[in-house]
């Protein structure tokens, strides 16, 4: 569990700089430039991600049960990940109506993904992993919306074509991951 927690601290810590030290981040980028900032940020994030994957795998070898999720929670989690994938797809690419409505669809998608996985998984490693991501996503969403209000930022009105593309990409990515990749990569087949 120590490796998992260390990975979460590195990964989510790097992703929390704008939440807790946005002024410091701005000064550091101004002083060193965006390239070095992105390089260090990427290396820390990658190291954290590797530790999360390794630590989670180790923790799954000797699971500690916190609660036993009901069967319906697994079905609900599988369905909740569909809009999570759509939100992730809406975060990139041209302006779309989903991004205009949500404001920060990537963070909203992470919140939904983490919440869905908390419903369906009751081992300690799952609670630590998905609970950490959910807490981070809530804090990041609140901070991002606050920054938007202070700056007077409003998302561009979305184009219907870009919205349909985000929907198609999100649904396609969800289907590919749920039906083909989740089993081999994670060891759990959401749909049997």
């Amino acid at each position: 569990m120590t490796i998992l927690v260390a990975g979460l601290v590195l990964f989510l810590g790097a992703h929390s700089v704008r939440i807790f030290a946005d002024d410091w981040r701005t000064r550091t980028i101004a002083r060193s430039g965006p390239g070095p900032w992105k390089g260090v940020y990427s290396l820390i994030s990658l190291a954290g991600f590797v530790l999360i994957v390794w630590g989670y795998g180790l923790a799954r070898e000797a699971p500690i049960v916190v609660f036993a999720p009901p069967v319906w929670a697994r079905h609900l989690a599988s369905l909740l990940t569909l809009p999570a994938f759509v939100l992730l797809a809406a975060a990139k690419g041209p302006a779309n109506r989903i991004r205009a409505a949500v404001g920060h669809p990537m963070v909203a998608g992470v919140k939904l993904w983490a919440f869905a996985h908390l419903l369906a998984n009751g081992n300690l490693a799952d609670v630590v992993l998905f609970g950490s991501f959910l807490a981070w996503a809530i804090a990041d969403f609140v901070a991002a919306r606050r920054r938007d209000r202070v700056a007077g930022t409003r998302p561009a009105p979305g184009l219907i074509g870009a919205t349909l593309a985000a929907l198609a990409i999100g649904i396609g990515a969800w289907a590919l991951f749920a039906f083909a990749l989740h089993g081999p990569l994670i060891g759990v087949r959401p749909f049997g």
Side-chain angles (χ1 to χ4, degrees):
M1 188 70 68
T2 304
I3 295 170
L4 173 61
V5 171
L8 288 166
V9 168
L10 281 177
F11 187 85
L12 295 178
H15 285 79
S16 297
V17 172
R18 288 204 77 188
I19 299 170
F20 300 108
D22 197 30
D23 292 339
W24 173 82
R25 175 187 174 271
T26 303
R27 287 191 311 272
T28 303
I29 292 172
R31 187 177 61 246
S32 66
W37 172 265
K38 289 178 182 178
V40 170
Y41 179 89
S42 298
L43 287 174
I44 292 170
S45 297
L46 181 61
F49 182 75
V50 167
L51 290 174
I52 288 170
V53 171
W54 181 28
Y56 185 67
L58 291 174
R60 286 178 64 184
E61 290 176 3
I64 299 169
V65 177
V66 175
F67 67 93
V71 173
W72 61 263
R74 291 178 188 218
H75 299 297
L76 180 59
S78 296
L79 293 176
L80 286 175
T81 56
L82 174 58
F85 270 84
V86 170
L87 287 164
L88 292 174
K92 300 297 178 188
N96 58 72
R97 293 182 182 179
I98 299 167
R99 189 181 323 149
V102 176
H104 297 275
M106 181 171 286
V107 180
V110 171
K111 278 196 298 189
L112 196 52
W113 166 82
F115 176 71
H117 283 79
L118 272 175
L119 287 176
N121 298 285
N123 291 336
L124 181 60
D126 300 310
V127 172
V128 169
L129 175 66
F130 300 117
S132 296
F133 269 93
L134 181 58
W136 168 83
I138 291 168
D140 193 52
F141 194 81
V142 169
R145 296 297 283 231
R146 185 179 324 114
R147 281 192 309 272
D148 290 347
R149 280 192 304 277
V150 168
T153 304
R154 299 208 184 278
L159 304 170
I160 190 66
T163 305
L164 293 174
L167 282 167
I169 291 167
I171 291 168
W174 172 81
L176 176 66
F177 199 75
F179 292 103
L181 298 177
H182 200 278
L185 293 175
I186 311 299
V188 176
R189 298 190 184 283
F191 293 101

